[in-house]
Amino acid sequence: MNDEFSELRNQVEVCTNCTLHKTRLKSVFGEGPNDSKVLFVGLGPGYHENQEGRPFVGAAGKLLDDLLVLSGLKREDVYITNILKCYLPDNKAKDEEIATCTSYLDKQIALIQPKFIIPLGNVAASYLLRKFGQPIAPMRNLHTKIFSISTLFFQTKIIPMYHPAAALRNPGLKSMVREDWRKLGNLI
Ligand code: SF4
């Protein structure tokens, strides 16, 4: 599996399948153990992630680290990636970019076969719920709900959560988001 992961990472590093490669300094493939039980999926790299080539290293990353502590999970034990692997200058993903790039995420999921997939934010939640034939809804109706998924190859549970950046943009969400992460720790 490590060879397949390395090959996939190499493909992402030189990918020119959508226009986002033009603003890429470093692609952000994802990081964590290849056999992690828990897979977090955000939207796409921001300014700091583009500089460092790592997911969630900016302000939202700092908050994610704090939230992981609340849930009792260790960052080094979980796999963290995004729907899109190259810098999103305006933080808005176009449908064609999502359609093109998610082939990489699909392969990551197939290789990791996580017991829990945690989409962070509406875009990741909508993509993953649709992919596995589940109904989509606004995050206010989805957060901390459990969707049990069974495929020919593996079983998993999808638990959508607000993106940490949502709590940064809207401080009114912060206490609910913190409570959600405590709950997540009990769910997984
Ligand atoms: S965002 Fe994805 S599809 Fe677009 S260039 Fe980067 S790796 Fe390729």
Side-chain angles (χ1 to χ4, degrees):
M1 174 165 91
N2 285 340
D3 287 352
E4 289 171 279
F5 243 89
S6 299
E7 173 60 24
L8 198 57
R9 182 185 289 274
N10 292 342
Q11 287 173 23
V12 166
E13 277 175 10
V14 296
C15 178
T16 55
N17 290 348
C18 83
T19 54
L20 290 177
H21 78 276
K22 293 179 184 168
T23 45
R24 169 180 74 209
L25 285 179
K26 290 184 180 172
S27 60
V28 180
F29 180 72
E31 66 182 18
N34 295 352
D35 59 351
S36 178
K37 190 173 94 163
V38 187
L39 171 67
F40 286 94
V41 183
L43 172 58
Y47 175 84
H48 296 286
E49 290 78 10
N50 188 38
Q51 304 282 321
E52 294 192 32
R54 296 182 55 219
F56 284 89
V57 291
K62 171 80 181 65
L63 182 53
L64 177 66
D65 288 346
D66 294 345
L67 294 170
L68 281 167
V69 170
L70 279 182
S71 70
L73 292 167
K74 292 190 178 134
R75 183 159 174 149
E76 60 268 29
D77 292 339
V78 302
Y79 200 95
I80 304 174
T81 189
N82 287 304
I83 291 280
L84 298 170
K85 311 304 191 201
C86 298
Y87 180 37
L88 265 180
D90 57 3
N91 209 32
K92 289 197 179 77
K94 297 189 180 79
D95 288 346
E96 60 267 29
E97 292 161 353
I98 295 171
T100 305
C101 198
T102 41
S103 63
Y104 296 122
L105 174 65
D106 291 348
K107 286 176 194 152
Q108 286 173 304
I109 292 171
L111 287 170
I112 298 171
Q113 300 196 357
K115 296 265 181 280
F116 298 92
I117 302 176
I118 317 295
L120 299 171
N122 278 310
V123 175
S126 296
Y127 174 75
L128 288 161
L129 290 173
R130 250 195 218 112
K131 169 181 167 64
F132 290 106
Q134 301 297 311
I136 60 169
M139 186 53 71
R140 66 178 175 278
N141 299 330
L142 290 178
H143 63 112
T144 71
K145 275 197 176 166
I146 302 175
F147 296 84
S148 295
I149 308 294
S150 189
T151 76
L152 278 180
F153 306 103
F154 75 114
Q155 296 185 332
T156 189
K157 290 184 168 59
I158 297 178
I159 309 178
M161 303 283 281
Y162 279 100
H163 194 288
L168 292 176
R169 280 194 305 269
N170 181 357
L173 276 181
K174 212 163 182 174
S175 63
M176 186 179 65
V177 167
R178 289 172 68 82
E179 194 46 48
D180 279 358
W181 280 75
R182 283 193 196 92
K183 187 171 172 187
L184 181 69
N186 293 326
L187 295 175
I188 63 181

